[in-house]
């Protein structure tokens, strides 16, 4: 066993002595040692209950004859970090999470791992480490939050963000907003909707790196605890079979996951995280593959924020396995791909079925005939940009309007709330990319303000930063190259006409090549916003959003 490096033989008597100092018995030390990465903290609703999940995992490990060894990990709550300096640390935390799991599992050579994330950057960070290490491992998330109820409406965190704009527009009072904030997030779990956290947990299941149900079983249910126990049991079985993550996360598995991404209408952040995970799996995953698969897929689930259905609805309708089974009829799913169940995708979905065709539509009657995400190119984004097209109003799929240029998210947010954005405008927020931000902050506050002000069918927003999974409307992010690298988004002038054509996958600045080149010659790099500490180091090492904002090798 891998753990023999730290426990077997006379020379390891000091090591065993240290184990015994913590109360481990000889029998426990002899068993397979399973590292359990617990990202519990008291600042993320999706993580506040992870102690209970981890205790269930550990019970499962012991039931199967292994010894669980828990260690901790960090996590940022994107909602609480939103719209201030903290958001610049969110994406950057992904690399720290991956490195810290790698460090713990190499310094203490566990025989296997159970990774227990729940939200935003924690799930992809742990997956990156999992594939980097390539020892038997499995994931169990904390599960999604339930939606709230307020004045007869189903509400969630995004309803509160949009409520700020509604107060500014006179459509809601501050007292209404006070009431709403008390009802919008009624339970623990990752925020209720197909936002980034739930997107990544669903895609982890689709990749085959978590058991069926991982993405959709609600956080507060007994079924989530049972799944955690089953995950602990399966961690030991993976060691017995020597089934490792890279045997599962093959090119075919990533294509399966992207197909599910498109069917669900997942967060645009998946276009950052899935390539980053693939990079650590040594799988080449060019940005174009998202368009390629999107064109072959159908958008068959209309989930919050773009539609009415919650993760609980999706779970009751059959969950991710039912979605995969529906997509398999399009011949875009590799049913021979292996999963952590020890069975293939095809074997897993044999018993799956769609229990509510309003939530999981048949491929013959989709919400949209293409997948939920589109990659746009053009002189404004030669390396690509990303939009959740399933959350764009039909009248905004093609749009042309004057640029309203802002050098930061704060400037744009203030202008939107002050009523300075008019119908037809294209809001441009730049110098917020991976390097220029630094940290590529999410733009949920300005996009939610646009919706709250009633402009989501009349104004667009583009940025070299990124968007929350809760964003809806014509919001185009990850514009690459970013402004800080001399990208064309840094050359846009107030009033320039910007042309958006999502069906044609085009994002263009309506000026000729000669003018664009003249502006490029006049452009000068800006002084970094942050010059010390982790973010300064991150800015020096991070690559483009088009490559998943991974760090330079």
């Amino acid at each position: 066993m891998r753990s023999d490096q730290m426990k077997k033989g006379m020379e390891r008597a000091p090591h065993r002595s240290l184990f015994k100092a913590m109360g481990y018995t000889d029998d426990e030390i002899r068993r397979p040692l399973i590292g359990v990465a617990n990202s519990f903290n008291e600042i993320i609703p999706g993580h506040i209950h992870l102690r209970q999940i981890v205790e269930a995992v550990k019970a499962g490990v012991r039931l199967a004859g292994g010894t669980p060894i828990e260690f901790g990990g960090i996590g940022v709550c994107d909602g609480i970090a939103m719209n201030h300096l903290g958001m610049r640390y969110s994406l950057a935390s992904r690399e720290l999470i991956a490195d810290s799991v790698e460090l713990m599992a190499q310094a203490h050579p566990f025989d296997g791992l159970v990774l227990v994330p729940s939200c935003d950057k924690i799930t992809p960070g742990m997956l990156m480490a999992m594939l980097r290490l390539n020892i038997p491992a499995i994931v169990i998330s904390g599960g999604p939050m339930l939606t709230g109820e307020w004045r007869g409406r189903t509400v969630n965190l995004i309803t509160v963000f949009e409520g700020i704009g509604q107060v500014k527009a006179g459509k809601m009072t501050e007292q209404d907003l006070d009431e709403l904030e008390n009802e919008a997030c009624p339970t623990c779990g990752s925020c209720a909707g197909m936002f980034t956290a739930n997107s990544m947990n669903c895609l982890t299941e689709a990749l085959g790196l978590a058991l069926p149900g991982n993405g959709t079983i609600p956080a507060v249910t007994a079924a989530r605890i049972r799944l955690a126990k089953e995950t602990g049991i399966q961690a030991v079985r993976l060691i017995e079979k020597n089934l490792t993550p890279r045997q599962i996360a093959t090119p075919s598995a990533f294509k399966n996951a992207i197909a599910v991404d498109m069917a669900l209408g997942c967060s645009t952040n998946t276009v950052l995280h899935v390539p980053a995970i693939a990079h650590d799996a040594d799988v080449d995953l060019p940005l174009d593959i998202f368009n390629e698969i999107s064109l072959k897929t159908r958008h068959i689930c209309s989930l919050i924020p773009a539609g009415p259905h919650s993760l609980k609805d999706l779970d009751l309708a059959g969950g991710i396995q039912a979605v995969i089974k529906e997509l398999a009829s399009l011949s875009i799913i590799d049913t021979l791909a292996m999963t952590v169940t020890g069975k293939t995708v095809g074997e897993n979905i044999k018993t799956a079925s769609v229990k509510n065709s309003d939530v999981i539509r048949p491929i013959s009657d989709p919400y949209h005939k293409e997948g939920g995400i589109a990659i746009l190119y053009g002189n404004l984004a030669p390396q690509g940009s990303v939009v959740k097209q399933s959350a764009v109003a039909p009248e905004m799929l093609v749009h042309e309007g004057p640029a309203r240029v802002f050098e930061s998210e704060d400037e744009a947010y203030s202008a939107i709330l002050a009523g300075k954005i008019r119908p037809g405008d294209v809001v441009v927020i730049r110098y917020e990319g991976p390097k220029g931000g630094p940290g590529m902050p999410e733009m949920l506050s300005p996009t939610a303000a646009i919706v709250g002000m009633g402009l989501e069918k009349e104004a667009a927003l583009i940025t070299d930063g990124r968007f929350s999974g809760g964003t809806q409307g014509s919001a185009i992010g990850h514009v690459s190259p970013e402004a800080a690298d001399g990208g064309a988004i840094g050359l846009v002038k107030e009033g320039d006409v910007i042309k958006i054509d999502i069906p044609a996958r085009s994002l263009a600045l309506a000026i000729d090549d000669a003018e664009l080149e003249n502006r490029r010659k006049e452009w000068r790099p800006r002084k970094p916003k942050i010059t010390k500490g982790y973010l300064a180091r991150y800015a020096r090492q991070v690559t483009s959003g088009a490559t998943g904002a991974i760090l330079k090798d």
Side-chain angles (χ1 to χ4, degrees):
M1 290 190 290
R2 187 172 184 264
S3 63
D4 286 349
Q5 298 173 60
M6 61 178 172
K7 70 182 187 183
K8 190 174 182 180
M10 181 189 68
E11 295 84 356
R12 296 297 180 258
H15 303 62
R16 292 192 297 274
S17 182
L18 290 168
F19 274 99
K20 290 176 180 179
M22 295 178 279
Y24 292 98
T25 66
D26 285 323
D27 188 44
E28 285 178 303
I29 296 168
R30 277 192 294 268
R31 294 177 180 184
L33 303 184
I34 312 294
V36 182
N38 183 1
S39 55
F40 162 83
N41 64 37
E42 295 181 342
I43 194 68
I44 309 178
H47 292 234
I48 193 71
H49 65 304
L50 291 189
R51 282 175 173 161
Q52 185 181 20
I53 299 292
V54 164
E55 286 305 313
V57 167
K58 289 156 72 173
V61 170
R62 293 188 185 101
L63 282 169
T67 298
I69 300 177
E70 180 183 341
F71 62 92
I74 65 165
V76 171
C77 178
D78 277 27
I80 295 173
M82 192 70 64
N83 198 225
H84 58 84
L85 177 63
M87 177 45 66
R88 302 186 187 283
Y89 286 86
S90 173
L91 180 60
S93 73
R94 186 187 70 183
E95 316 309 314
L96 286 176
I97 292 160
D99 289 350
S100 64
V101 172
E102 175 195 357
L103 186 153
M104 289 296 290
Q106 294 288 38
H108 317 99
F110 301 118
D111 298 302
L113 288 172
V114 180
L115 305 168
V116 190
S118 202
C119 292
D120 294 88
K121 310 312 157 298
I122 300 92
T123 298
M126 286 191 171
L127 286 170
M128 289 163 69
M130 180 186 196
L131 287 156
R132 197 181 295 173
L133 290 161
N134 200 35
I135 62 175
I138 188 169
V139 176
I140 169 74
S141 77
M145 182 186 289
L146 298 181
T147 54
E149 296 292 329
W150 179 67
R151 298 185 181 179
R153 292 172 55 196
T154 297
V155 294
N156 59 77
L157 176 67
I158 307 307
T159 317
V160 186
F161 271 99
E162 293 172 356
I164 298 168
Q166 291 181 323
V167 171
K168 291 288 186 178
K171 300 175 184 178
M172 180 186 285
T173 67
E174 288 191 49
Q175 183 179 347
D176 292 336
L177 188 59
D178 286 343
E179 288 181 19
L180 174 60
E181 75 176 63
N182 287 328
E183 305 299 334
C185 299
T187 72
C188 61
S190 43
C191 294
M194 193 51 75
F195 312 143
T196 304
N198 290 322
S199 294
M200 290 309 306
N201 292 325
C202 288
L203 296 192
T204 301
E205 181 180 336
L207 265 171
L209 295 173
L211 294 180
N214 177 71
T216 58
I217 295 173
V220 294
T221 60
R224 176 63 56 176
I225 299 300
R226 293 195 297 271
L227 186 70
K229 289 180 181 177
E230 290 164 6
T231 298
I233 292 169
Q234 194 60 23
V236 180
R237 301 285 177 259
L238 291 172
I239 293 169
E240 294 169 352
K241 295 179 179 182
N242 195 29
L243 184 56
T244 60
R246 290 196 189 185
Q247 293 172 270
I248 296 166
T250 62
S252 290
F254 278 101
K255 290 177 183 177
N256 286 350
I258 294 171
V260 171
D261 185 342
M262 297 302 167
L264 297 176
C266 287
S267 164
T268 52
N269 280 315
T270 61
V271 183
L272 285 174
H273 299 320
V274 173
I277 295 162
H279 177 264
D280 274 311
D282 285 337
V283 171
D284 184 29
L285 207 66
L287 197 58
D288 283 342
I289 203 164
F290 285 87
N291 270 346
E292 179 186 321
I293 294 174
S294 181
L295 292 169
K296 296 177 183 176
T297 313
R298 303 288 184 272
H299 177 224
I300 59 175
C301 298
S302 187
L303 300 160
I304 298 168
H309 300 129
S310 68
L311 269 292
K312 180 183 177 183
D313 295 333
L314 179 58
D315 188 60
L316 293 172
I320 300 306
Q321 299 304 307
V323 172
I324 293 172
K325 190 167 188 175
E326 192 64 32
L327 293 177
S329 60
L330 279 175
S331 299
I332 58 172
I333 295 293
D334 183 351
T335 57
L336 297 178
M338 183 54 64
T339 73
V340 288
T341 64
K343 300 176 182 178
T344 64
V345 169
E347 291 171 315
N348 288 344
I349 63 175
K350 274 184 181 178
T351 57
S353 64
V354 175
K355 299 177 176 66
N356 186 335
S357 58
D358 288 332
V359 178
I360 304 174
R361 283 193 178 181
I363 59 167
S364 58
D365 183 30
Y367 286 98
H368 299 97
K369 292 183 179 180
E370 295 180 2
I373 289 175
I375 311 299
L376 313 185
Y377 295 93
N379 66 352
L380 197 48
Q383 293 177 2
S385 59
V386 184
V387 63
K388 186 192 282 194
Q389 61 177 346
S390 59
V392 179
E395 53 265 54
M396 289 298 293
L397 289 171
V398 177
H399 179 76
E400 180 177 321
R404 302 296 308 281
V405 181
F406 301 94
E407 307 299 330
S408 71
E409 176 190 7
D410 291 343
E411 287 182 22
Y413 187 46
S414 297
I416 295 165
L417 293 181
K420 295 180 180 179
I421 302 304
R422 305 175 186 87
D425 285 351
V426 179
V427 177
V428 177
I429 306 177
R430 61 192 182 191
Y431 291 98
E432 296 288 18
K435 178 179 177 180
M440 205 178 188
E442 287 185 348
M443 304 289 167
L444 177 57
S445 292
T447 56
I450 283 175
V451 174
M453 301 286 281
L455 291 168
E456 72 274 17
K457 295 181 180 179
E458 300 176 300
L461 190 153
I462 70 169
T463 180
D464 51 8
R466 60 192 177 92
F467 295 112
S468 162
T471 291
Q472 57 180 310
S474 185
I476 301 165
H478 309 195
V479 172
S480 300
E482 62 174 294
D485 274 336
I489 190 171
L491 310 179
V492 178
K493 293 184 178 180
E494 184 81 8
D496 282 348
V497 173
I498 292 176
K499 296 182 177 181
I500 299 166
D501 190 336
I502 295 173
R505 305 295 194 260
S506 175
L507 178 64
L509 182 61
I511 61 173
D512 60 39
D513 292 345
E515 172 61 17
L516 191 60
E517 189 57 34
N518 285 336
R519 293 185 189 183
R520 184 169 283 114
K521 289 176 182 176
E522 295 172 0
W523 179 84
R524 296 293 180 271
R526 294 192 169 206
K527 182 181 177 181
K529 295 176 185 175
I530 295 175
T531 57
K532 293 182 179 180
Y534 176 62
L535 274 186
R537 283 184 280 122
Y538 178 84
R540 290 194 294 269
Q541 294 178 298
V542 72
T543 62
S544 167
T547 56
I550 58 173
L551 299 185
K552 296 172 186 174
D553 288 330

